[in-house]
Amino acid sequence: MKTTLTPLDPADFIGPAPVSEPDPSLPDKASASAESPDANGVAEEIDSDALGAGEAEHDDEHESAHEDDAQQRFVGPRVKLTVEVDAETFDADIEAAFRKLAREVRIPGFRPGRAPRRVLESHFGSEIGRAQALEEAVPRYYAEAVRDNQVDVVNQPELELTLDGSEGPVAFEATVEIRPVVSISGYETLQVEIPSPVPPEDEIEARIDETRRQFADIAEVERPADDGDRVTIDIEGSVAGDPLPGLSAQDYLYEVGSGGIVPEVDEQLRGSKAGAELSFSAPHPVQTEMEIDFEITVNAVSELVLPDLTDEWVDENTEYDTVEDLREATARQLGFGRIMQANMVLRDEIQKQLAGLVEGPVPDAMVSGAIADRMSELGSGLQQRNMTIEEWLEATGQEPASFIGELSDDAERGVRLDLALRALSTAEDLQADDDDVDAELEKMAANDGRSPAQLREVMAETDGLAHLTAAICKNKALQWAIEAAVLVGPEGDTIDRSELELPTPDDPEDPDSADEDD
């Protein structure tokens, strides 16, 4: 098989895509969708077929948006693959087609699958085998040509037979859109604001006070109740004079400000003193059209008395020996969570900024593919939960139109990030070597049941290795950008990168290892 790769002139297809006139025989919306298999077309298909509800309400504005978007559709760079398959290779595929036909039909005098080609040709004609071979082999020839020439396709090809194989060899041309190569600037000087990985003193003290509250005493006070105080109350709730089950109690101990009943209860108790009698009404927390009448008598107001924070108390009631040990351990524990959060924010912000470095429009086919991937992932998750998209949207309180808009925006950001990471990888020569690929195959094999060598062999027959290599390069590029970024805190202060390092299991500062030692 011989393949010739020809880049096409970008001037012929980069820019606004031609806007076809609507077919008068079709409704406007159906015509637009049928003629434009792009991100907006996918969104409209989701809107009408998968989501259903609310379509008529948004038709007019959706049509207007569709017309505006139609002027902004862009096609990425394309190449033409000219593929020539010799007669001997194609005849082997014809032979395979006849063997398949022999298994599917019954010829008198022959067992299934045993009728020879000449007998089948006499019954069905030689053309049937050639037609079947073309149908099954041309996609395979195309895939092989793409793989051999390392063509990074992002859309379905336009195939045209130039030699149909009626005699001798087969030849065809495949015009296909490929991933554009972009250049980005400014990735070396990214600045990211992240939450401080160091917990402030008041947060440390608040966490220690939570521990002290577990050992607190309760003492009655004569002052008005405030948030955090415990009040002893007699409470009765009723609707239209009928007591509500579970809402009547004597000498009930309640924490003011906890929101344990309804907000109005806390509002009434806040500022009340022992002996106060409160009568008020409040909406039912579930059946909002119903009101609950409350009668509350405040019998006593008490406050929590925290134990004194001393070395003796710490030693007797915690796993630590001194107040300083407790404070240091608390700071480490809080810091662990803050470091995790700061690293996640850093990663997310770097990705957003890198995506923003890709200027101009991105190919519509890539956005459509990203939308399809996200819809497939969502659909798989919902299927496991036995939910439809309509049910999920209703449960999450999302409108179909806003969901589609967010999905499209997220898909476009993902495409821009993909292009940016590839550009950074190329600019900084961040390549995937054999050791990188082997390491990833090892990870995959751990969950696959096949050996790394078997996985490599399978992936080499498809585009799997190319995708894996690209993913490794993009991960390297992202890590490069993360390490190169300037980190600042909420107050504009510079954050030392060492503060984002998580404790290792062998680090004596690690809270888990400290627990084991104790």
Side-chain angles (χ1 to χ4, degrees), residues 1 84-98 117 126-141 161 163-172:
M1 189 174 78
E84 302 174 18
V85 182
D86 60 81
E88 183 179 355
T89 299
F90 184 58
D91 192 64
D93 286 306
I94 296 175
E95 188 69 35
F98 274 112
R117 173 175 171 176
S126 60
E127 296 79 8
I128 190 171
R130 292 179 178 274
Q132 184 71 20
L134 283 173
E135 182 179 341
E136 296 186 357
V138 168
R140 190 175 72 251
Y141 298 151
L161 281 173
L163 284 177
D164 62 7
S166 55
E167 290 185 4
V170 168
F172 63 90

Side-chain angles (χ1 to χ4, degrees), residues 11-12 17 37 52 92 111 114 172 223 274 325 342 346 352 357 384 386 393-394 411 435 508:
D12 293 338
R111 286 180 294 171
R114 303 304 295 272
F172 63 90
R223 61 172 175 78
D325 291 342
L346 171 59
K352 289 178 183 177
L357 297 179
Q384 293 177 359
N386 295 319
L393 288 174
E394 183 177 357
D435 290 341

Side-chain angles (χ1 to χ4, degrees), residues 336-500:
F336 194 90
R338 279 178 162 264
I339 291 172
M340 294 282 287
Q341 180 191 18
N343 276 297
M344 287 190 291
V345 171
L346 171 59
R347 186 180 182 88
D348 289 345
E349 287 300 316
I350 286 291
Q351 291 183 97
K352 289 178 183 177
Q353 292 191 32
L354 286 175
L357 297 179
V358 177
E359 300 178 348
V362 293
D364 186 74
M366 294 184 67
V367 178
S368 296
I371 290 174
D373 289 342
R374 284 159 173 75
M375 283 300 299
S376 176
E377 183 178 351
L378 173 62
S380 298
L382 293 179
Q383 187 175 20
Q384 293 177 359
R385 296 159 59 183
N386 295 319
M387 290 183 71
T388 64
I389 291 182
E390 294 93 331
E391 291 170 339
W392 177 75
L393 288 174
E394 183 177 357
T396 55
Q398 298 185 75
E399 291 294 329
S402 63
F403 166 70
I404 293 169
E406 291 174 6
L407 183 70
S408 299
D409 291 344
D410 181 64
E412 182 174 333
R413 281 192 297 270
V415 169
R416 292 183 181 277
L417 176 61
D418 171 83
L419 296 177
L421 290 174
R422 290 171 186 267
L424 197 161
S425 172
T426 300
E428 297 299 328
D429 195 27
L430 304 172
Q431 303 302 318
D433 57 28
D434 288 339
D435 290 341
D436 295 324
V437 174
D438 288 341
E440 289 301 318
L441 290 173
E442 288 280 357
K443 294 178 184 177
M444 295 169 62
N447 299 318
D448 186 84
R450 288 174 287 184
S451 69
Q454 290 172 323
L455 282 176
R456 180 185 284 274
E457 183 178 350
V458 170
M459 296 174 72
E461 296 175 356
T462 62
D463 296 330
L465 281 181
H467 289 308
L468 179 60
T469 301
I472 293 171
C473 292
K474 290 194 293 181
N475 283 335
K476 286 188 174 185
L478 178 59
Q479 191 59 37
W480 188 97
I482 288 174
E483 293 174 358
V486 175
L487 310 182
V488 296
E491 305 301 324
D493 52 311
T494 302
I495 294 180
D496 192 309
R497 190 168 296 276
S498 64
E499 295 178 3
L500 296 184

